[in-house]
Amino acid sequence: SRTTKKGVQTLIKEKTEEKEDEKKDPQYRVLLHNDEVHTFQYVVRALTKCIGTLDRAAAFEICVETHGRGKAIITKTWKKQAQ
């Protein structure tokens, strides 16, 4: 992960396993890692702003999972969109 201005941390993407019969373009998982700096409120707002398909309830559930497990998958998408 990289830190940008204002201490915001970029999300890490991991390549999903690709089967031969799947499309040529592999899907990437966009992950959220836990930290002790950002509040749930801040992260929920950031997620809903960056990922248009997430509503506040779904973003909050991702925050809860991240807080408990240390990381959570936000979405799966193509590499260009994941970046």
Side-chain angles (χ1 to χ4, degrees):
S1 70
R2 300 178 308 192
T3 302
T4 59
K5 60 184 175 180
K6 296 185 184 179
V8 176
Q9 203 169 28
T10 57
L11 306 175
I12 302 230
K13 57 202 175 291
E14 292 182 6
K15 185 176 177 181
T16 58
E17 287 188 29
E18 178 177 288
K19 295 180 183 177
E20 291 179 5
D21 59 351
E22 289 182 350
K23 296 178 182 178
K24 292 180 182 179
D25 295 331
Q27 295 268 307
Y28 285 74
R29 292 179 289 172
V30 179
L31 301 178
L32 176 67
H33 288 267
N34 190 31
D35 70 14
E36 301 300 322
V37 177
H38 300 94
T39 64
F40 271 44
Q41 181 181 9
Y42 176 84
V43 176
V44 166
R45 274 190 278 157
L47 288 175
T48 55
K49 184 177 179 182
C50 293
I51 311 292
T53 57
L54 281 181
D55 61 9
R56 290 174 53 95
F60 183 79
E61 289 300 317
I62 291 171
C63 288
V64 170
E65 182 179 349
T66 303
H67 185 70
R69 295 185 180 188
K71 64 181 175 181
I73 297 173
I74 297 172
T75 189
K76 293 179 184 176
T77 188
W78 292 271
K79 182 177 181 180
K80 192 175 235 183
Q81 190 173 5
Q83 292 175 335

